[in-house]
Amino acid sequence: MRDVVGRACMAGLVVGVLVTGLGACTGGSGEGRGDKAEVCTGGAYAWSGVRREQRLTALSDPIRFKKKTGAYTSRLEAVGDAVYRPSVTGTPEGAGAAGVIKALGRHLKVERPLAGPSETERPAQDHFFEYSTGVHEGAYYAWAAIDLVEADFTHTCGDGDPAKGHVRTWEGTGAGFLSCSMPSAETAGHIAAQRTCPAGSKAAQDA
């Protein structure tokens, strides 16, 4: 699993349009350079329709402590059988899927690189969640999630026709553990609370 960390709040949502990725590019009719035109190796990206979605990927059984507990290990069972793989359609000639994803990462100003073409996220691999800080008696909930991101792009270089395409990847994955008296700030946490916390608990009521 990529970038798995225990946390109570994942990245917020950002939507925007920005032109990035200016660089050297070569191309044209090929006149004076032989019969084969050179491939564009740079260009500019215009991004639109940036969408972020957090999905619940794994969930613990209901957690109930009868007394204060120093440490806890929970098995997180996969929610569904989805397998996530980054994808790029309409890849500009000479750029490659990895180049497009890196350009999107620069546009979003992400702290860590977005998942690349060779990465795969299988929720079934999320076996355990460990919490080592002492917790009081009561009901708790634990979950894992993936932060998906997708966007449309237009890539222009030189005098050639613009290339239009779409990217779908993810910013990271994470896990959460909270008392059912504390609502989660995450979409996935809300769903987890609804499914595993007592019906009258604050987390379940606010989800």
Side-chain angles (χ1 to χ4, degrees):
M1 185 174 182
R2 181 176 182 270
D3 297 337
V4 179
V5 293
R7 57 186 178 179
C9 183
M10 293 186 183
L13 304 188
V14 177
V15 178
V17 178
L18 185 66
V19 177
T20 60
L22 293 177
C25 55
T26 58
S29 63
E31 183 179 353
R33 296 190 299 271
D35 294 334
K36 186 177 180 180
E38 295 181 28
V39 174
C40 180
T41 58
Y45 288 91
W47 298 98
S48 62
V50 178
R51 298 173 291 282
R52 282 184 167 99
E53 178 187 6
Q54 186 182 84
R55 289 190 183 178
L56 181 72
T57 57
L59 186 66
S60 73
D61 289 331
I63 303 169
R64 307 290 186 267
F65 296 135
K66 295 183 179 180
K67 60 181 181 179
K68 186 174 180 179
T69 304
Y72 175 72
T73 299
S74 173
R75 182 177 181 84
L76 299 180
E77 298 290 345
V79 176
D81 56 0
V83 176
Y84 299 95
R85 296 183 178 88
S87 65
V88 179
T89 60
T91 306
E93 190 173 1
V100 176
I101 291 174
K102 288 180 180 179
L104 176 59
R106 290 192 296 270
H107 166 62
L108 297 176
K109 298 179 181 179
V110 296
E111 294 182 2
R112 295 174 178 267
L114 299 174
S118 63
E119 298 188 55
T120 301
E121 177 64 21
R122 291 183 173 87
Q125 293 179 346
D126 300 341
H127 296 305
F128 295 98
F129 175 80
E130 296 183 357
Y131 193 82
S132 59
T133 302
V135 293
H136 296 281
E137 65 178 279
Y140 292 78
Y141 58 113
W143 72 94
I146 186 170
D147 291 331
L148 300 172
V149 59
E150 58 183 309
D152 301 312
F153 68 86
T154 299
H155 179 269
T156 56
C157 190
D159 297 328
D161 294 333
K164 297 180 180 293
H166 184 81
V167 183
R168 190 169 190 265
T169 181
W170 60 87
E171 295 184 75
T173 58
F177 178 89
L178 287 174
S179 165
C180 287
S181 64
M182 183 182 299
S184 172
E186 299 183 8
T187 299
H190 289 169
I191 298 172
Q194 286 180 326
R195 294 188 182 184
T196 61
C197 284
S201 66
K202 186 171 179 58
Q205 290 178 335
D206 291 354

